[in-house]
């Protein structure tokens, strides 16, 4: 397909032992996604794969050349490593059964271009980028890729948008994948340094707090933007998610009441584009009636007020998150990201500009002015 890989950044070799066992005698009362194992035989992590069925992954990095030889060149007694990690002889570990063992090189890889020269193949997921699992972003990033690409393919195939729309896929997704790659690499290097340190368990536990962005990353998961300002990162704060309805960001969740049903603002764009507007935005309803599709996909308008007959904001969350002024509308894409904030002074023209903007990466429409 002519898709060329960029040079990989190897970050060390690991031994993974995937096994089944009832570890409840050791984990009951201290259930966790991840257990650090630090003793004379094993320095690594025990990952909870499925606590109900009792499935685990013992992941041991080779931290020294000697460990490289021990784990990858000689005969390894994998049961003995499990015994050492659990701190019990194999007879005492009920149901112990090794499913698979593999060694692998951790690192990041990428593609020079995510689209083949003939334009017919677009790469997503691990085909486009891989990075260390430290942070757990590989599959998340791949799913986000698919989410971003699916509606664009539909729009182009239905003839509602020019093929150039597909170029926005890599333009938007590559910076996010690259951010996640760099962040996962930093996590991997810090984790390795932690496992190599001589810290005793108490000191080790205290140090974990310094690694918060490795394990607590709501800002990275939900807060990335497809429209960072000049020189700005796609993620401003890895740990804290601050919802904002500015263009490029994920349209914030706020509870709404629709004829007695509790729905989320994020439900409104599930099947197409949605224009979210306030009490003064009734014109948008008319525009959506006249134009039931936008870029070939369904377009709906939602007038959200505090006391409307159909769609009511529950509490002040919608007003706070969307901060709509006058006739302004927030145009949300089918992947839940904000395409544009439209002032509502010339709605039809503003919609056309929003389409041009994503296809051509063109200018941002003017923001609504403060009411004078
Ligand atoms: C130890 C470890 C822990 C991880 N933990 C996390 C985590 O906590 N969270 C997270 O988000 N991600 C995690 N990941 C990353 C995640 O597993 C991957 O990013 C994800 O599986 C990639 O999905 P994918 O569909 O892009 O590719 P794959 O899962 O690789 O799927 C590609 C599929 O295509 C098939 N295939 C290949 N060639 C062909 C062909 N020619 N014809 C037909 N089929 C073909 C393959 O067999 C495979 O089934 C982890 C990875 C590792 C190694």
């Amino acid at each position: 397909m002519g898709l060329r890989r960029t040079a990989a950044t190897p970050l060390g070799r690991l031994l993974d032992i995937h096994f089944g066992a009832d570890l409840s005698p050791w984990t009951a009362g201290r259930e966790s996604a991840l257990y650090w194992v630090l003793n004379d035989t094993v320095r690594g992590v025990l990952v909870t794969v499925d606590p109900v069925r009792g499935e685990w992954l013992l992941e041991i990095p080779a931290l020294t050349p000697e460990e490289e030889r021990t784990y990858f060149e000689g005969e390894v007694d994998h049961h003995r490593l499990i015994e050492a990690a659990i701190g019990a002889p194999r007879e005492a570990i009920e149901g112990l059964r090794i499913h698979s063992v593999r060694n692998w090189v951790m690192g990041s890889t990428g593609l020079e271009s995510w689209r083949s020269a003939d334009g017919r193949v677009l790469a997503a997921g691990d085909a486009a980028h891989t990075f260390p699992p430290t942070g757990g972003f590989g599959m998340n990033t791949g799913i986000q890729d698919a989410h971003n690409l699916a509606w664009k393919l539909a729009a182009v195939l239905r003839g509602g948008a020019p093929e150039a729309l597909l170029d926005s896929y890599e333009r938007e997704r590559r910076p996010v994948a690259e951010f996640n790659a760099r962040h996962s690499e930093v996590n991997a290097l810090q984790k390795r340094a932690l496992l190599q340190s001589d810290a005793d368990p108490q000191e080790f536990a205290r140090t974990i707090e310094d690694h918060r962005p490795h394990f607590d990353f709501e800002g990275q998961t939900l807060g990335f933007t497809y429209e960072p300002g000049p020189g700005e990162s796609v993620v401003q704060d890895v740990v804290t998610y601050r919802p904002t309805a500015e263009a490029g960001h994920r349209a914030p969740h706020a509870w709404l009441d629709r004829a007695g049903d509790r729905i989320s603002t994020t439900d409104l764009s599930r099947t197409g584009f949605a224009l979210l507007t306030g009490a003064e935005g009734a014109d948008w309803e008319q525009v959506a009636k006249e134009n039931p599709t936008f870029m070939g996909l369904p377009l709906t308008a939602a007038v959200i007020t505090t006391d409307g007959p159909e769609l009511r904001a529950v509490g002040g969350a919608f007003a706070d998150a969307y901060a709509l002024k006058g006739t302004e509308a927030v145009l949300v894409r089918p992947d839940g990201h904000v395409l544009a904030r439209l002032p509502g002074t010339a709605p039809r023209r503003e919609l056309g500009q929003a389409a041009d903007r994503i296809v051509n990466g063109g200018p941002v429409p003017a923001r609504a002015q403060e009411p004078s």
Side-chain angles (χ1 to χ4, degrees):
M1 293 167 195
L3 295 170
R4 274 196 303 275
R5 288 226 167 273
T6 52
T9 340
L11 293 170
R13 220 164 153 191
L14 291 96
L15 176 69
D16 273 10
I17 309 172
H18 177 200
F19 67 98
D22 176 7
L23 297 187
S24 57
W26 297 276
T27 57
R30 47 178 188 160
E31 288 80 5
S32 179
L34 197 101
Y35 300 86
W36 298 85
V37 178
L38 304 160
N39 59 46
D40 292 340
T41 311
V42 173
R43 292 181 85 80
V45 291
L46 179 69
V47 183
T48 308
V49 177
D50 186 332
V52 179
R53 281 191 300 169
E55 266 193 61
W56 314 89
L57 186 74
L58 180 58
E59 196 175 272
I60 308 172
L63 298 169
T64 61
E66 193 196 333
E67 287 183 354
E68 283 261 348
R69 282 192 293 278
T70 309
Y71 293 139
F72 308 121
E73 287 167 27
E75 279 287 301
V76 188
D77 183 345
H78 300 113
H79 281 99
R80 198 176 73 79
L81 293 172
I82 296 173
E83 287 179 322
I86 307 303
R90 64 194 78 176
E91 305 76 47
I93 306 174
E94 206 176 310
L96 175 60
R97 194 166 82 84
I98 293 181
H99 297 312
S100 67
V101 175
R102 66 170 184 165
N103 70 67
W104 56 291
V105 176
M106 184 162 71
S108 300
T109 61
L111 287 181
E112 280 175 12
S113 165
W114 289 17
R115 192 170 183 190
S116 61
D118 67 5
R120 301 196 61 217
V121 178
L122 291 125
D126 275 22
H129 45 69
T130 62
F131 26 85
T134 33
F137 272 95
M139 181 164 290
N140 285 295
T141 308
I143 290 170
Q144 290 167 7
D145 292 344
H147 207 193
N148 183 294
L149 182 57
W151 70 266
K152 294 175 181 174
L153 285 172
V156 172
L157 291 173
R158 288 179 194 185
E163 224 187 293
L165 175 65
L166 298 179
D167 293 334
S168 70
Y169 163 63
E170 180 173 348
R171 194 168 69 227
E172 292 186 336
R173 290 300 308 159
R174 183 190 275 278
V176 179
E178 286 179 351
F179 180 91
N180 291 348
R182 297 294 89 77
H183 187 67
S184 304
E185 287 165 11
V186 168
N187 287 342
L189 291 171
Q190 288 182 342
K191 179 174 156 193
R192 193 179 171 85
L194 199 59
L195 287 169
Q196 276 170 324
S197 76
D198 301 327
D200 64 41
Q202 274 76 27
E203 198 182 327
F204 191 92
R206 274 193 301 276
T207 318
I208 296 283
E209 180 54 31
D210 298 337
H211 293 242
R212 180 163 286 279
H214 181 164
F215 304 105
D216 186 1
F217 37 70
E218 213 173 72
Q220 187 180 357
T221 315
L222 299 173
F224 64 87
T225 177
Y226 291 141
E227 296 196 28
E232 268 178 23
S233 167
V234 290
V235 174
Q236 290 296 319
D237 184 335
V238 166
V239 175
T240 310
Y241 169 52
R242 293 185 186 80
T244 162
E246 292 301 316
H249 287 266
R250 184 180 191 270
H253 153 78
W255 287 123
L256 305 174
D257 180 296
R258 184 162 61 189
D261 286 338
R262 178 66 65 93
I263 64 161
S264 167
T265 43
T266 61
D267 294 327
L268 297 170
S269 56
R270 278 204 194 289
T271 54
F273 285 91
L275 286 157
L276 276 56
T277 189
E280 294 173 50
D283 273 2
W284 287 111
E285 272 188 319
Q286 189 55 34
V287 170
K289 268 199 196 105
E290 289 166 16
N291 305 274
T293 61
F294 176 68
M295 301 181 99
L297 302 174
L299 173 71
T300 51
V303 176
I304 300 165
T305 59
T306 46
D307 54 1
E310 291 210 356
L311 206 50
R312 259 180 293 137
V314 175
F318 174 74
D320 290 348
Y322 285 78
L324 289 165
K325 295 184 184 76
T327 55
E328 194 180 23
V330 168
L331 176 59
V332 185
R333 318 182 333 182
D335 61 9
H337 281 255
V338 175
L339 177 57
R341 295 183 68 108
L342 308 175
T345 41
R348 286 164 195 82
R349 183 159 51 88
E350 290 162 17
L351 268 179
Q353 284 172 338
D356 285 350
R357 184 163 145 251
I358 183 160
V359 171
N360 305 317
V364 182
R367 286 290 317 275
Q369 300 298 310
E370 291 282 345
S372 51

